[in-house]
Amino acid sequence: MPEPEEATRHVFVYGTLRCGERNDIARYRPLPLFVGTASIDACLYDLGAYPGIVLGAGGRVVGEVYRITAAVEAALDILEEVKADGSGEYRRREVPVVVAGQALNCLVYEIHPERLSGRPAIVGGDWCRR
């Protein structure tokens, strides 16, 4: 009897989880599957060693979309310090992202607004080109 296929979701990554960055998503297992590059309506902020976004802020943020398993999603929640009550460093959101002409619902980690005080926006919305 074949193994049941594990449920998957999509995630949009825009900072240190991008390919080649210090928390490259490729370090997680099972290996996330690259779907494509995309951009979303948000503003990107420089928090020092990593960025944060605010969704729907009128800018464009560049990132990558990956298909991930529940195990990888749980690991990302730990990395991003997501808390069920919304008080963590990041909040997990779900937004539609167009990748290669196809709309996919993607998880996006949005920074908690209290962490943005005095932080500059990254002009151009691309963490890798800051």
Side-chain angles (χ1 to χ4, degrees), residues 6-9 68-75:
E6 186 169 359
T8 59
R9 296 184 72 173
I68 60 170
T69 63
V72 172
E73 180 181 344

Side-chain angles (χ1 to χ4, degrees), residues 22-104:
R22 70 181 172 90
N23 287 321
D24 190 326
I25 197 166
R27 72 185 185 151
Y28 291 95
R29 297 293 178 268
L31 184 65
L33 176 67
F34 177 73
V35 176
T37 58
S39 67
I40 61 172
D41 176 15
C43 186
L44 186 66
Y45 290 89
D46 188 341
L47 304 175
Y50 55 91
I53 62 168
V54 173
L55 293 168
R60 297 303 296 174
V61 173
V62 176
E64 302 160 358
V65 174
Y66 293 86
R67 191 170 69 210
I68 60 170
T69 63
V72 172
E73 180 181 344
L76 295 178
D77 284 356
I78 292 168
L79 175 72
E80 305 293 6
E81 298 180 25
V82 172
K83 301 221 186 295
D85 67 0
S87 67
E89 184 164 21
Y90 287 84
R91 298 172 178 178
R92 187 179 61 233
R93 306 288 191 213
E94 190 167 334
V95 299
V97 178
V98 177
V99 183
Q102 179 183 6
L104 301 172

